[in-house]
Amino acid sequence: MAEPSLRERLNALREQLHSYSYHYYVLNESTIPDAEYDRLFRELQEIEAAHPEWQSADSPSQRVGAEPLAAFSQVRHETPMLSLDNVFSEAELLDFDQRIKTRLKDSAELSYACEPKLDGIAVSLLYVDGVLVRGATRGDGRVGEDITQNVKTIASIPLKLRGTGWPEELEVRGEIYMPRAGFARINDAARSSDGKIFVNPRNAAAGSLRQLDSRITATRPLEMSCYGIALGDGEAWFYSHSEGLATLRDWGFLVSPELRVVDSIQGCVAYYQDLLARRDGLAYDIDGIVFKVDSLALQEHLGFVSRAPRWAIAHKFPAQEEITQLRDVEFQVGRTVIVGLYNASTTVYKINRQKERVAGRGLRRAWRESGQFRVVAAEVGRGRNWLQVNQERSPISMSNHYWR
Ligand code: 5U1
């Protein structure tokens, strides 16, 4: 048999690497040792470096990121990215079901698709002829930001669709999130290198996607779970939402393994209870459940009100972020200065969703008073999240006592 040409070898490598990462990141199956994957990846990069004219937008080498952008450009969503109405109790959920039955003038039980509501960032992906050409944030629902280079670095997002039967133009929507284990890993690394500490996984996912340098995004453990199709061609080619999601799975997308279809609102109530009980054991943060009328014909009939569909609802979980009493704070400011805490009993501070104390690493503002330092605020992470250590807001001079 003749030796494959270099071009053929390149194509074979791309196919192999796409397939390995699909099995690993979407199906959670390891089909090849990491070292072998790395070897094949390097071989691919070497061929592409020697033949830049063979580079392609859907090559696995695109996962490593690209040159930094000066700014994100804007993207108009042809089909607006909607938001969801919320309910907070079972009674409100039953009212939602009743409203739909009244509107449909039919009291027959409805089938609902049930999915976890991931606490992440809503994103749209556009595929043309099966190749990922654009990723965009939701923005205000009509105009978002172009984050194509960043989404290409996320291994569970196909650069090229698998299988067959996809339309010429396909827009897929879902949530980009950071699994809890990845969040703990990057925060641990940041603690030991004095880097940026994120308050929660959502914050970390948002910060990672907002990078103008996609090579940084590439180092962040992000995933995307897909929950919808915006029908680019204007034609519905499925009869139900769940059928659409099953097809997205065939085309290589990650769809929640928790997706279920139930045949009545009572099934939704049971699903909510089940996932609420398992919430802490999941690999990612969720803040509720989304219920959607499964039939696309009924969805169409029900339509929208304002910016939310009448056929879907988010049943939110009780909040996990709480305000609590500060019991103790440890500060280390240089070698010789000890910071005394003033009036600790009146203080409050924020804990994160994992009920960990989000300890302030950097003391931001303090001043000396009667031989003591009075602590006004210490940083939790950086930026907006301030740990208030004292309720007094008296003006202070920061010039002499300001540490980073
Ligand atoms: N799981 C899930 N999350 N989520 C968020 N499904 C889902 N659907 C959404 C949103 C905003 O919107 C569609 C109902 C339009």
Side-chain angles (χ1 to χ4, degrees):
M1 213 167 73
E3 282 278 299
S5 69
L6 198 59
R7 190 66 202 253
E8 284 166 341
R9 177 64 186 152
L10 175 70
N11 291 340
L13 280 170
R14 286 178 177 164
E15 288 306 315
Q16 264 179 301
L17 289 164
H18 276 311
S19 171
Y20 293 140
S21 64
Y22 168 70
H23 281 268
Y24 191 77
Y25 292 103
V26 178
L27 303 184
N28 230 341
E29 300 166 357
S30 182
T31 50
I32 181 179
D34 289 356
E36 177 63 1
Y37 182 92
D38 293 344
R39 195 191 62 71
L40 296 174
F41 197 87
R42 273 196 307 277
E43 187 183 345
L44 171 74
Q45 286 178 309
E46 277 160 21
I47 299 177
E48 288 181 351
H51 292 276
E53 72 281 11
W54 291 348
Q55 186 54 270
S56 131
D58 60 357
S59 171
S61 60
Q62 300 276 313
R63 300 278 193 209
V64 297
E67 287 297 310
L69 301 171
F72 294 119
S73 51
Q74 291 201 325
V75 167
R76 178 163 290 279
H77 300 296
E78 296 283 329
T79 312
M81 290 186 76
L82 302 165
S83 50
L84 283 166
D85 280 338
N86 297 319
V87 293
F88 296 90
S89 68
E90 188 178 318
E92 288 177 332
L93 181 65
L94 298 180
D95 284 349
F96 159 77
D97 177 62
Q98 197 49 57
R99 274 198 305 280
I100 293 181
K101 287 172 177 161
T102 306
R103 197 163 190 99
L104 295 175
K105 298 190 178 69
D106 189 345
S107 59
E109 292 302 340
L110 290 155
S111 288
Y112 287 101
C114 316
E115 306 155 42
K117 185 169 183 305
L118 284 149
D119 204 2
I121 313 299
V123 162
S124 137
L125 303 175
L126 181 65
Y127 290 82
V128 176
D129 291 330
V131 175
L132 175 64
V133 295
R134 196 191 71 193
T137 58
R138 177 178 183 280
D140 65 4
R142 293 184 184 277
V143 177
E145 284 181 324
D146 188 328
I147 52 163
T148 309
Q149 290 304 339
N150 294 2
V151 300
K152 279 186 167 186
T153 68
I154 300 175
S156 57
I157 294 179
L159 296 177
K160 191 177 147 206
L161 300 181
R162 297 172 64 83
T164 54
W166 17 266
E168 224 171 273
E169 213 174 271
L170 172 76
E171 192 183 340
V172 174
R173 288 170 178 179
E175 205 84 357
I176 292 183
Y177 60 97
M178 188 175 287
R180 289 173 179 159
F183 167 70
R185 203 167 58 241
I186 63 164
N187 264 1
D188 283 349
R191 270 186 203 103
S192 40
S193 64
D194 225 11
K196 181 177 173 65
I197 300 202
F198 293 103
V199 177
N200 56 43
R202 184 182 191 284
N203 213 280
S208 304
L209 280 182
R210 223 178 282 124
Q211 296 292 332
L212 289 168
D213 187 345
S214 52
R215 293 168 301 190
I216 298 177
T217 313
T219 65
R220 304 283 170 80
L222 297 171
E223 292 183 359
M224 178 164 174
S225 176
C226 298
Y227 56 65
I229 301 174
L231 303 172
D233 288 345
E235 291 276 331
W237 60 95
F238 309 113
Y239 294 102
S240 68
H241 173 73
S242 52
E243 204 188 333
L245 294 190
T247 308
L248 285 187
R249 272 196 189 123
D250 293 342
W251 291 341
F253 294 93
L254 179 65
V255 170
S256 173
E258 303 291 346
L259 169 73
R260 302 282 181 276
V261 179
V262 297
D263 54 16
S264 71
I265 196 69
Q266 285 310 326
C268 296
V269 171
Y271 182 94
Y272 174 90
Q273 293 301 345
D274 172 53
L275 223 60
L276 178 60
R278 292 194 288 117
R279 177 188 197 179
D280 289 342
L282 297 176
Y284 39 79
D285 278 0
I286 64 174
D287 59 0
I289 306 294
V290 181
F291 299 115
K292 295 173 188 166
V293 171
D294 198 32
S295 153
L296 294 187
L298 292 182
Q299 285 189 5
E300 176 132 358
H301 189 89
L302 288 161
F304 304 88
V305 58
S306 178
R307 286 187 172 193
R310 286 200 188 88
W311 40 265
I313 201 83
H315 189 178
K316 299 298 281 285
F317 285 155
Q320 281 191 311
E321 208 166 69
E322 293 159 23
I323 296 289
T324 185
Q325 194 79 29
L326 181 72
R327 297 258 162 72
D328 71 285
V329 178
E330 287 169 29
F331 293 114
Q332 196 186 351
V333 186
R335 249 184 253 152
T336 51
V337 185
I338 293 167
V339 178
L341 186 61
Y342 182 81
N343 200 5
S345 63
T346 62
T347 60
V348 291
Y349 86 115
K350 218 171 175 188
I351 58 174
N352 69 13
R353 282 155 195 264
Q354 284 73 47
K355 300 219 182 258
E356 297 160 352
R357 192 180 71 181
V358 188
R361 280 175 65 76
L363 175 66
R364 284 291 284 261
R365 287 191 268 171
W367 80 103
R368 191 187 287 277
E369 189 178 281
S370 317
Q372 274 206 321
F373 280 91
R374 182 179 292 191
V375 178
V376 172
E379 196 181 31
V380 177
R382 266 183 207 145
R384 289 182 296 126
N385 301 292
W386 286 81
L387 173 63
Q388 289 200 322
V389 182
N390 190 313
Q391 286 181 338
E392 272 183 56
R393 298 279 169 101
S394 43
I396 58 165
S397 152
M398 291 170 37
S399 54
N400 294 330
H401 310 292
Y402 184 77
W403 293 275
R404 279 201 162 270

